[in-house]
Amino acid sequence: MHFFDRLADRIATADSVVSVGLDPDPDRLPDSVLDADLPRWQFNRRIIDATHEHAACYKPNAAFYEDPDGWRALEETIAYAHGKDVPVLLDAKRGDIGNTARQYARILDDEEGPAADAITVNPFLGRDSLEPFLQRADKGVFVLGRTSNPGGEDLQDLELASGEKLYERVVHLADLWNGNGNVGLVVGATNPDELEEIRELVPDIPFLVPGVGAQGGDAEAAVEHGLADGVGLVNSSRGIIFAGEDADTRRDDSGDAFFKAAGQSAKQLKQRLNQFR
């Protein structure tokens, strides 16, 4: 099955478009996981146990795993999420040329071990830098289109000679690159007008919409414009996984209160988004 077919099945099963970002910042992990052999894996396992009923997808950010123990934790995390029948989108923002791009794309190879089902990519170097990802027809490829960070406008809002903005050109290119039906777009929720405009440009491409949690993006716009045929993802990372972050829950030896808070936050976000589906 193609990634977006599997995602559609998961959205229907969980009745949710929530993507849970798994960004296990070592400085914010609760005391209850710190003595584990792989604290980040132990943290993710308990987050998944607490949230999987409400998750359409998990989105680990590669930046939190780029060391030997981190990659082991990531492999365990992917395998465990798959065991709960939840797909995994690796937020890696890859984009490079030639052999380097082919090496980056190996993270999607199932023969290499537990592999991500989708990945985020950076289009700045053009199509050839993304071809090793695009040619994996069964894997999802989310192209950075319009990001939610304030500095995104430094480049993305630049007007080209054609009169279109740079992010609009990227959106059109992503549509052209979608020959295998496996392309999505990353479009931030912090500017609902732009979200609506981009949806009008590409009516059939699913979006990954970050920025609804800690960044305060527009949940209604994220659902109304982020889904294509009911398929798309609205991500929250810190707003879910660190929802229980206060002095009492961090010192709780069992960690039960900390992870229960994450489950409640994921459930609340699902219910909030489902009002607009």
Side-chain angles (χ1 to χ4, degrees):
M1 293 178 66
H2 283 222
F3 169 73
F4 287 114
D5 293 328
R6 299 199 302 276
L7 181 59
D9 287 348
R10 178 62 196 173
I11 289 171
T13 298
D15 189 27
S16 175
V17 294
V18 173
S19 165
V20 178
L22 297 177
D23 303 350
D25 185 341
D27 294 331
R28 299 178 70 176
L29 300 185
D31 294 347
S32 57
V33 305
L34 294 182
D35 291 334
D37 179 43
L38 294 172
R40 283 167 287 185
W41 152 233
Q42 177 72 358
F43 177 81
N44 287 348
R45 182 185 70 80
R46 297 200 64 181
I47 289 289
I48 291 170
D49 284 342
T51 63
H52 70 89
E53 294 180 35
H54 314 298
C57 187
Y58 287 107
K59 186 181 72 64
N61 189 308
F64 293 91
Y65 302 92
E66 292 186 334
D67 60 79
D69 283 350
W71 285 114
R72 288 173 56 207
L74 179 60
E75 287 185 350
E76 295 288 353
T77 297
I78 292 172
Y80 197 69
H82 286 168
K84 300 290 187 182
D85 294 323
V86 185
V88 176
L89 163 59
L90 182 62
D91 191 357
K93 302 179 180 69
R94 300 302 193 204
D96 213 319
I97 58 173
N99 190 52
T100 306
R102 288 190 292 274
Q103 289 299 311
Y104 276 143
R106 290 178 63 187
I107 195 68
L108 298 176
D109 289 345
D110 297 305
E111 297 82 7
E112 300 287 330
D117 305 288
I119 194 167
T120 60
V121 295
N122 189 329
F124 192 76
L125 273 71
R127 174 166 186 151
D128 61 314
S129 69
L130 304 186
E131 192 60 40
F133 304 96
L134 297 171
Q135 68 185 8
R136 287 165 166 78
D138 60 327
K139 301 291 186 173
V141 183
F142 284 87
V143 177
L144 295 181
R146 183 67 172 99
T147 61
S148 57
N149 61 304
E153 63 186 28
D154 292 347
L155 292 176
Q156 295 165 28
D157 280 1
L158 292 178
E159 187 172 311
L160 305 179
S162 62
E164 62 186 337
K165 292 183 178 179
L166 180 57
Y167 75 81
E168 294 173 331
R169 172 67 62 85
V170 169
V171 167
H172 284 303
L173 287 173
D175 199 25
L176 290 174
W177 297 339
N178 196 23
N180 287 322
N182 62 339
V183 171
L185 276 164
V186 180
V187 184
T190 49
N191 189 326
D193 290 338
E194 285 182 350
L195 191 58
E196 180 179 7
E197 173 206 339
I198 293 170
R199 172 52 70 206
E200 291 174 355
L201 294 176
V202 283
D204 300 321
I205 290 183
F207 293 171
L208 166 66
V209 184
V212 168
Q215 297 180 59
D218 189 311
E220 182 175 1
V223 174
E224 182 179 354
H225 307 303
L227 307 185
D229 245 350
V231 178
L233 293 166
V234 179
N235 186 76
S236 176
S237 300
R238 291 165 290 168
I240 291 177
I241 66 174
F242 295 121
E245 190 178 54
D246 61 49
D248 291 334
T249 58
R250 283 183 62 87
R251 287 194 295 266
D252 176 13
D253 290 339
S254 71
D256 290 348
F258 184 101
F259 294 103
K260 182 178 180 180
Q264 286 296 318
S265 180
K267 180 180 181 180
Q268 289 168 3
L269 180 58
K270 177 176 80 170
Q271 293 173 338
R272 179 182 169 201
L273 296 176
N274 281 353
Q275 296 178 60
F276 310 115
R277 289 175 62 198

